[in-house]
Amino acid sequence: MKTMFKLSLTLAAYAVVACVGLAFVYNATAPIIEASAANEVKGALKVLFPEASDFTDVSSEFGGPAGSIGFDRAFVAVSGDAPIGMIVQATGPTYKSSTLLVAVDMNRTVTKVQFTANTDTPGLGTKTAESPFIDQFFGKKIDDEFKTGADVTAISGATISSKAVAAIIKAAAWQAGDYLAKNHGAAAGSGSAPVVAELAPFTLEAGLAELFPECSFEQLPSDAIANSVERSVVLSEAWLARSSDGSAAGVGIVAKGQTYKASTLLVGVLPDATLAGLRVLATTDSANYGKEMLSPDFYSLFAGKSVADAYLVKPSVPEGDIDSISGATISTQGVANMLKIAAYEGSRYLRSAHGGKAASFAEDPFILNVIPEQE
């Protein structure tokens, strides 16, 4: 018993000595480790602002996140005692996620951008960190649009990553320019902070209001508009839009069907046999590909389209009239099929019940996009 007691005391003593030793080593090495980390950070910042003599960490007083884009750290670059610009580390969703260092000078110009992390698809999304894509932001003014198809050239096959990286750079650069203007006398910009839109489905009420502004709505009987073409698409409900004078302004049809998984659309049809547009009410498709149907860049393409168009998706149908969402051909095909059927049935209803314009449909055969079976 005494032997065990002595052994326990000995082990306890060793433990105390070890803990004290570890604490001593930590206290001795922590400043060295911190200094090394700080030097490593400054080295990375120096690459973006080689003319800077030092960098002041202002992360604690920098702006909060812009939607899904977070600002991790922020540094003011100084030369002597004068601020010459700013570097912001920002993280946001791309196809997966990316973290970038964005450098901005005192004249609201992006001087350089560098990725510190990129988890997007190798060979596609990761190309956003490479020339020539990333180079187009060097020298770009903060107040530019930063919009793919306008002043930003997207990478083919990586549209989602391209748009997202442009949004991260824009958000970080704008916040940097705003901070420098308010705190260091840099050039002031115009307008408000960029809004980082979160893609989300519409409610039925919001969708109807956008497609048929300043109209009142009445729900039609369940048998007023039915799918007589292809039963895999369900037209679950329909709403007649009336103008202030009581005339029929169009009909909004709720269509449910297969996309990559499944989606519910609101399709607006006008009495002149064109579409008021499309809004997505629900989808279970991929968050990074199929859900691009929630983007205004996609659904705004259909406003004014004739109900008698082919609604066939390229490149599956080379002569088609609808461009596929990059990487989401099946989702686009499903949307196109629902659009075509809803447009056809809505136009027939408006023609028979409200004197709408007749459209020249190629009803025989009524061709839809062939959606491949999913395993």
Side-chain angles (χ1 to χ4, degrees), residues 2 66 70-71 78 108 113 130 141 187 192 194 221 308 344 350 363:
K2 287 183 178 180
F71 305 122
V78 296
R108 296 182 67 80
V113 179
E130 304 169 3
K141 290 294 184 181
S192 55
Y344 173 70
L350 289 170
E363 298 177 30

Side-chain angles (χ1 to χ4, degrees), residues 286 333 336:
S286 161
Q333 289 171 327

Side-chain angles (χ1 to χ4, degrees), residues 302 305 309-324 329 332-333 335-337 339-340 366-370:
F302 301 100
K305 191 170 177 61
D309 284 351
Y311 292 86
L312 297 177
V313 177
K314 297 183 287 189
S316 299
V317 180
E319 66 277 15
D321 57 323
I322 295 177
D323 290 318
S324 173
T329 301
T332 312
Q333 289 171 327
V335 168
N337 286 350
L339 271 172
K340 184 171 185 176
F366 195 95
I367 300 173
L368 295 172
N369 295 278
V370 178

Side-chain angles (χ1 to χ4, degrees), residues 172-186:
W174 196 95
Q175 290 287 355
D178 186 60
Y179 181 91
L180 289 171
K182 289 178 178 177
N183 296 279
H184 296 286

Side-chain angles (χ1 to χ4, degrees), residues 45 48-49 55 58-59 62-64 69-77 85-91 99-104 112-114 116 168-169 171-180:
L45 300 178
L48 276 75
F49 257 116
F55 299 91
V58 294
S59 304
F62 197 66
I69 298 171
F71 305 122
D72 310 319
R73 302 189 72 180
F75 301 85
V76 174
M86 192 167 197
I87 297 173
V88 177
Q89 179 176 292
T91 299
T99 300
L100 298 81
L101 291 171
V102 180
V104 174
K112 195 167 286 187
V113 179
Q114 181 175 304
T116 61
I168 294 171
I169 296 172
W174 196 95
Q175 290 287 355
D178 186 60
Y179 181 91
L180 289 171

Side-chain angles (χ1 to χ4, degrees), residues 13-62:
Y14 276 123
V16 170
V17 171
C19 289
V20 171
L22 286 172
F24 177 79
V25 170
Y26 174 79
N27 288 332
T29 59
I32 299 173
I33 294 171
E34 288 178 7
S36 176
N39 287 334
E40 187 175 335
V41 169
K42 284 191 175 181
L45 300 178
K46 192 77 172 173
V47 172
L48 276 75
F49 257 116
E51 64 271 36
S53 58
D54 202 1
F55 299 91
T56 304
D57 191 338
V58 294
S59 304
S60 61
E61 57 193 74
F62 197 66

Side-chain angles (χ1 to χ4, degrees), residues 212 215-216 218 220 239-251 269-272 349-351 353-356:
F212 303 101
C215 285
S216 59
E218 59 186 74
L220 295 174
W239 294 78
L240 180 65
R242 290 193 181 275
S243 301
S244 57
D245 62 2
S247 62
V251 63
V269 185
L270 299 173
D272 66 357
Y349 165 78
L350 289 170
R351 185 172 73 247
H354 297 281

